Amino acid sequence: MEIYELSLSDVAEKIKSKEVSPVEVAQSSLDRLAEVEPAITSFVTVTGEHALAQAAVAEADIAAGHYKGLLHGIPLGVKDLYDTAGILTTSSSAQRAENVPTSDSASVAKLSEAGMVMIGKTHTHEFAYGATTPTSGNPWDPTRTPGGSSGGSGAAVGAGIVHVALGSDTGGSIRIPAGLCGTVGLKPTFGRASRAGVASLSWSLDHVGPLTRNVIDAGLVMAAMSGYDRRDPASVNLPTPDFVTGIDGGVAGKRIGIPTNFYNYHVEQETQDVARRAAEVLQGLGAELVEVEIPLAEYILPVEWGILTAEASAYHMDALRRSPERFTEEVRTLVEAGEVVLATDYINSIRLRTRIQEAWRDMYSSIDVLLAPTVPGVAALREDPYFRWDDGVVEGATSAYSRMSAPANVTGLPALQVPAAFSATGLPIGVQIIGKPFHEAEILQVGFALEQATDIVGRIAPVATAAVPV
């Protein structure tokens, strides 16, 4: 078995025991990248020399007895929204084609301090404003979308290039590509991890988090990313948690919420069946299934878009006037549309978000976590990114994918995507586990139990090595 095929924990053990060196691990990732990247184009910038230099430092530190922990020497992909000192950071946009930051974003700095080795910058849907990442292909079928906006990160982890990649999540942009590419994706509670140095889409909905091969990996990386940072106004001053200890505690007695509305509208039958079977697996492990009605469901998406579009347009206001031609037509249209959102509509969206958060808090008085499909269907074709529902509705992929994940952004609750099955056509299908505020450890525990009961999590896509024209 090649090094890149091993789990993070297995690689970490080999690095710690000096059976393999961080340089060998980094080279294995770079070799895998060279093999599959022509088909999936997951990276906008590859930092091979930088990665090998970082790996050499890690090797020297470990040889000198300065082992930093399980992340030391592990390959990392970084979504191109995150600032990286001295390395091009474009947000996959011509607006920032020459942007080279002078300092690292908070998360990159923390993971670098933990000894991780950055392989490169992964593609994002331009400025994270979309859920398909047109530049990249899905590792399970490169003619299909990897999702977005963290599509490059999802593809890179799903293809086995890196063990971990960073994403951001404003309307599902960690969980969507994780679900479509067959990886684990963790969106923490709003305020858990600093967003300093990450290009914003919507400051009051943005979250940062990891995409990984398995649930334990997500907990390890999230713990390293967490912590108070006064540079982020939303940052919450809480102790940095240990998300992994006790993760194998099981689900006996856990109350699993099964939604009776919202998450079953315009959802492919195969996807619904996977979510139902996942619930039954947890029930078989001792959990209690509790049917719940999603409160104020009809207002969730209007609130999400009422806030997001206004805040995104405020962020891009100067660029829209200075160099509108440097946006793609799709994103420029969205930014222009956000400028006509009334201030009263924006304020009312914020007020209604508070009511939704309060109603969800009440819902959680009867459950511990909510279990639902991550996205309504498998990865759409890149040439035809639409869903055609039985009632005649034609829905764009960005709308379809984000409507399933938006509730966790509007509420700010932690959410974990876990692979649960493969479709009849061989494409990944996942479920998301949504928890109470700052209960990341609990959703990881439920996700770990589900992971251990299947053989789905941790699979690497057998990417074709030939380029796929789109």
Side-chain angles (χ1 to χ4, degrees):
M1 181 175 286
E2 299 292 335
I3 295 174
Y4 74 81
E5 297 178 277
L6 301 173
S7 71
L8 187 157
S9 297
D10 287 342
V11 173
E13 183 59 37
K14 290 181 181 296
I15 289 174
K16 183 180 180 181
S17 66
K18 302 183 179 63
E19 182 179 343
V20 300
S21 75
V23 173
E24 291 175 299
V25 175
Q27 188 61 60
S28 179
S29 286
L30 291 169
D31 290 346
R32 177 61 174 170
L33 185 152
E35 179 185 8
V36 303
E37 186 65 0
I40 61 175
T41 55
S42 56
F43 283 82
V44 59
T45 300
V46 177
T47 54
E49 291 185 6
H50 175 79
L52 293 173
Q54 279 190 317
V57 171
E59 182 175 356
D61 285 344
I62 293 168
H66 304 304
Y67 181 64
K68 296 181 178 181
L70 292 174
L71 301 182
H72 203 170
I74 298 296
L76 171 71
V78 177
K79 184 177 183 177
D80 207 33
L81 293 184
Y82 288 73
D83 283 352
T84 44
I87 296 171
L88 196 65
T89 302
T90 71
S91 300
S92 289
S93 175
Q95 291 285 356
R96 295 187 176 176
E98 300 175 356
N99 176 46
V100 179
T102 57
S103 60
D104 285 333
S105 59
S107 292
V108 170
K110 286 188 173 186
L111 296 179
S112 178
E113 178 61 27
M116 296 198 79
V117 173
M118 190 180 77
I119 299 297
K121 306 297 290 292
T122 57
H123 269 296
T124 172
H125 204 116
E126 184 181 24
F127 282 113
Y129 214 159
T132 58
T133 317
T135 47
S136 302
N138 190 299
W140 295 94
D141 179 353
T143 67
R144 294 179 180 269
T145 175
S149 61
S150 311
S153 290
V157 175
I161 297 172
V162 289
H163 291 80
V164 179
L166 297 183
S168 62
D169 195 311
T170 306
S173 291
I174 290 172
R175 290 161 290 150
I176 293 166
L180 299 182
C181 295
T183 81
V184 170
L186 175 58
K187 181 198 81 67
T189 308
F190 187 70
R192 169 69 83 185
S194 174
R195 305 162 304 171
V198 181
S200 177
L201 176 57
S202 171
W203 79 269
S204 70
L205 295 169
D206 293 340
H207 303 66
V208 294
L211 293 88
T212 62
R213 301 265 183 92
N214 60 48
V215 173
I216 285 182
D217 294 358
L220 290 170
V221 178
M222 195 71 251
M225 293 174 66
S226 298
Y228 175 69
D229 184 354
R230 62 183 179 84
R231 295 172 297 172
D232 181 352
S235 183
V236 177
N237 194 359
L238 290 174
T240 299
D242 176 357
F243 295 135
V244 174
T245 300
I247 199 171
D248 58 353
V251 295
K254 295 283 186 190
R255 299 168 299 171
I256 311 294
I258 307 300
T260 60
N261 63 326
F262 189 83
Y263 289 99
N264 52 18
Y265 174 70
H266 282 170
V267 181
E268 292 177 349
Q269 187 61 52
E270 197 172 23
T271 298
Q272 294 186 54
D273 291 343
V274 167
R276 175 183 51 79
R277 289 196 297 269
E280 291 171 351
V281 166
L282 294 173
Q283 185 180 40
L285 294 172
E288 176 188 0
L289 304 186
V290 180
E291 289 190 345
V292 292
E293 181 178 352
I294 302 300
L296 301 175
E298 66 271 30
Y299 299 112
I300 292 172
L301 295 178
V303 165
E304 166 81 12
W305 290 106
I307 294 171
L308 188 156
T309 52
E311 291 183 352
S313 294
Y315 182 80
H316 292 292
M317 180 175 62
D318 290 344
L320 183 63
R321 285 153 179 75
R322 182 182 62 249
S323 51
E325 74 285 354
R326 301 188 77 179
F327 286 113
T328 60
E329 182 179 356
E330 174 197 19
V331 171
R332 185 180 69 249
T333 299
L334 289 169
V335 174
E336 290 172 342
E339 292 204 331
V340 301
V341 174
L342 298 176
T344 49
D345 290 338
Y346 174 66
I347 295 300
N348 283 331
S349 294
I350 291 175
R351 294 173 65 193
L352 187 51
R353 174 171 59 184
T354 301
R355 290 188 59 194
I356 292 172
Q357 290 169 336
E358 291 171 347
W360 276 60
R361 190 177 304 119
D362 292 342
M363 180 183 71
Y364 272 87
S365 65
S366 63
I367 61 174
D368 296 307
V369 303
L370 187 75
L371 178 71
T374 302
V375 290
V378 297
L381 290 167
R382 295 167 71 182
E383 291 184 337
D384 184 30
Y386 294 93
F387 286 87
R388 293 167 177 84
W389 302 110
D390 291 342
D391 59 4
V393 172
V394 178
E395 184 178 20
T398 288
S399 171
Y401 293 143
S402 60
R403 67 177 160 84
M404 303 293 286
S405 48
N409 297 94
V410 170
T411 60
L413 297 176
L416 177 72
Q417 137 67 30
V418 180
F422 283 90
S423 72
T425 56
L427 297 172
I429 300 175
V431 295
Q432 60 179 324
I433 302 158
I434 306 174
K436 299 174 182 177
F438 300 103
H439 279 229
E440 287 86 357
E442 185 167 39
I443 62 173
L444 286 163
Q445 186 174 340
V446 175
F448 182 79
L450 187 60
E451 170 185 291
Q452 296 302 298
T454 73
D455 63 351
I456 301 300
V457 178
R459 293 191 189 180
I460 294 173
V463 186
T465 55
V468 177
V470 174

